[in-house]
Amino acid sequence: MSDSRVPRVVVVGAGFGGLEAARALAHAPVDVTLIDQQNHHCFQPLLYQVATAALSPSDIAWPIRGILRRQSNVRVVLAMVVGIDRKLRLVRTDWKPVPYDYLVLATGATHYHFGHDEWERFAPGLKRIEDATRIRDRLLLAFERAELATDQAQRLKQMTFVIVGGGPTGVEMAGAIAEVATQTLRSDFRHIDPALSRIVLLEAGPRILPSFPPDLSAYAERTLRRMGVEVRTSAKVTGVDADGVLLGDERIDTATAVWAAGVIASPAAHWLDAPRDRNGRILVNEDLSVPGAADIFVIGDTAHVQRAGAGAVPGIAPAAKQMGRYVGRLIIAKISETPLPGPFIYHHAGDLATIGRRAAVVAINRIHLRGLLAWVFWSIAHIYFLIGVRNRFVVAFDWLWSYLTFQRGARVIDNTPHKPIAAEHSGIKDTASTLH
């Protein structure tokens, strides 16, 4: 790097970690280029509420340029990264190569179907706004198809919902779908009773919410069962197709399956030819740099950060934000030739998951909360971390309205077919020609 110019810092990914790294460099003498293939930052912890029609996409997503508009040393580039040339210090994109002096990879993770990519078509995961609206469409269309079905077997299939994975996302999805079926839609249809829907939560391990203390996991399971959710543990999925989900020799017929069972890191490890774990996360040094590349840092879900005696740092938003702030401070120290900060140390603030109306679980060290108090705590925490006063107000109002009226205001199907609603799957034959 020449002493005559400002250092160039390239941040790839505008998730929690990438944004935090860019903000940490706000007053540093550097030129920051933030690259993302989306023009918005998404608050992923609330994606399930978009998928279940509680919130609209605009409530949990914000334009990246708007977030960083007052930070004059940042340039936002809408492009897709296709590779990295470590020798030439270039980030290769579908736009043009972007040179760097320091590189921060915050490219996140996506849902992983354990090597069965063909399952994704029938059981989409939940990582992006597009995923959430896709699942919302499927959920709402399932009830519409059930209303028009003349065949009882097809009606039952449409009214069966399977969630694969009993972590926080799976638990929150199962609880939200149960509320949609038993509360929101209970008076909307004339030929079906949505409250008779079958909602199945599948977990391969011995208990749901495995990262939570056992007492909170047990509470979550009891609460879901009271809500009408069929919770099945030690249930390993062996297949997913258009007709349902397979558990060995058992088939659960469903038209709507949601995948919440696993994630895999972005291709960053392949770009760098770096050591990785089985989930594709790069095994980084204690300062979050890539082995053999002191100018490249990896943060968030893309990084495998080992904690002494406590396993890897979890792939959650607070961890990504802490990594982003740390790397920002480290880069500033490097360019200013001041003492470097010590190794990255993750401070775990706790685990939170909501189950449904007035029911949630919170684990903060030895403090365990459940029920209404945990639900209030969960709500306040999520509203606090939303970006922008408008979004905090809108989400708080939507939640209050839903709480008082049992309604969800985002029940819009974006992809309504222009032909009879899935007639071939609904048992509708004689009346098809009259539905155009």
Side-chain angles (χ1 to χ4, degrees):
M1 183 177 64
S2 171
D3 293 334
S4 62
R5 62 172 174 79
V6 174
R8 299 165 299 190
V9 180
V10 175
V11 180
V12 181
F16 291 105
L19 276 181
E20 204 67 29
R23 285 168 156 173
L25 297 167
H27 304 292
V30 295
D31 283 334
V32 181
T33 300
L34 179 60
I35 304 174
D36 199 292
Q37 58 184 344
Q38 305 285 341
N39 82 323
H40 58 270
H41 166 77
C42 172
F43 191 78
Q44 288 187 349
L46 291 181
L47 270 176
Y48 85 95
Q49 296 226 343
V50 174
T52 55
L55 296 174
S56 297
S58 60
D59 296 336
I60 65 165
W62 308 271
I64 300 168
R65 295 184 185 277
I67 296 172
L68 298 173
R69 66 184 183 275
R70 296 179 181 174
Q71 190 170 331
S72 59
N73 67 342
V74 173
R75 178 179 66 154
V76 177
V77 172
L78 186 66
M80 182 174 66
V81 173
V82 296
I84 295 170
D85 190 324
R86 291 170 58 172
K87 184 177 180 180
L88 297 178
R89 286 184 162 183
L90 292 174
V91 177
R92 301 199 179 278
T93 75
D94 58 358
W95 169 54
K96 70 176 184 179
V98 180
Y100 68 86
D101 296 306
Y102 295 99
L103 174 62
V104 181
L105 294 175
T107 44
T110 188
H111 33 262
Y112 180 51
H113 291 74
F114 303 110
H116 296 277
D117 293 342
E118 68 277 9
W119 295 356
E120 198 276 338
R121 175 184 173 191
F122 310 109
L126 190 59
K127 278 292 181 182
R128 303 176 303 163
I129 288 291
E130 296 89 339
D131 300 328
T133 54
R134 178 184 176 192
I135 292 171
R136 183 187 66 188
D137 287 352
R138 289 190 175 195
L139 173 65
L140 297 176
L141 278 171
F143 289 106
E144 298 293 342
R145 291 165 178 161
E147 173 78 354
L148 299 182
T150 57
D151 179 78
Q152 181 64 12
Q154 286 294 335
R155 179 173 290 174
L156 292 175
K157 176 181 175 181
Q158 296 295 337
M159 294 177 63
T160 298
F161 306 92
V162 177
I163 301 95
V164 183
T169 299
V171 167
E172 290 170 346
M173 278 294 301
I177 293 175
E179 290 186 338
V180 168
T182 60
Q183 299 174 6
T184 306
L185 302 180
R186 59 183 176 181
S187 302
D188 285 14
F189 293 90
R190 300 295 175 263
H191 295 93
I192 62 170
D193 181 2
L196 298 178
S197 298
R198 182 188 181 193
I199 301 150
V200 185
L201 176 63
L202 303 176
E203 167 56 39
R207 63 185 177 96
I208 62 173
L209 296 181
S211 63
F212 284 70
D215 62 313
L216 296 183
S217 295
Y219 169 81
E221 181 173 340
R222 291 194 305 269
T223 303
L224 285 173
R225 291 188 185 279
R226 285 198 298 267
M227 296 171 68
V229 177
E230 182 181 332
V231 180
R232 300 182 58 176
T233 56
S234 301
K236 185 178 180 180
V237 172
T238 57
V240 184
D241 56 33
D243 295 317
V245 175
L246 291 172
L247 302 170
D249 295 331
E250 179 187 359
R251 172 183 288 277
I252 301 176
D253 291 332
T254 179
T256 308
V258 179
W259 192 265
V263 296
I264 191 168
S266 72
H270 297 281
W271 300 338
L272 298 171
D273 192 23
R276 70 208 74 168
D277 64 12
R278 63 180 183 177
N279 292 321
R281 296 178 300 178
I282 296 175
L283 303 174
V284 297
N285 297 323
E286 60 183 12
D287 66 349
L288 306 183
S289 64
V290 175
D295 56 344
I296 301 177
F297 303 91
V298 183
I299 62 177
D301 292 347
T302 317
H304 179 109
V305 184
Q306 193 65 33
R307 293 183 290 172
V313 172
I316 56 179
K321 296 177 75 169
Q322 289 180 36
M323 293 183 203
R325 288 193 294 268
Y326 172 86
V327 167
R329 293 196 305 267
L330 182 60
I331 292 175
I332 292 173
K334 283 177 174 286
I335 63 177
S336 62
E337 298 183 351
T338 57
L340 301 179
F344 172 75
I345 299 176
Y346 169 62
H347 300 283
H348 188 59
D351 295 300
L352 301 83
T354 183
I355 306 164
R357 181 182 175 85
R358 297 173 42 167
V361 289
V362 175
I364 304 175
N365 297 323
R366 296 183 180 181
I367 300 175
H368 297 178
L369 305 178
R370 66 192 74 185
L372 176 60
L373 180 60
W375 181 75
V376 172
F377 185 94
W378 179 93
S379 301
I380 293 173
H382 282 69
I383 290 174
Y384 174 79
F385 284 110
L386 288 169
I387 296 177
V389 175
R390 173 201 172 273
N391 295 87
R392 291 171 183 154
F393 176 80
V394 168
V395 171
F397 179 81
D398 284 347
W399 285 351
L400 177 61
W401 180 258
S402 297
Y403 182 81
L404 295 175
T405 66
F406 296 92
Q407 293 298 307
R408 291 171 181 248
R411 302 202 320 263
V412 176
I413 300 174
D414 290 335
N415 191 27
T416 305
H418 295 291
K419 59 181 180 180
I421 299 178
E424 67 274 19
H425 298 301
S426 301
I428 303 170
K429 295 179 181 179
D430 297 336
T431 60
S433 60
T434 67
L435 297 175
H436 286 280

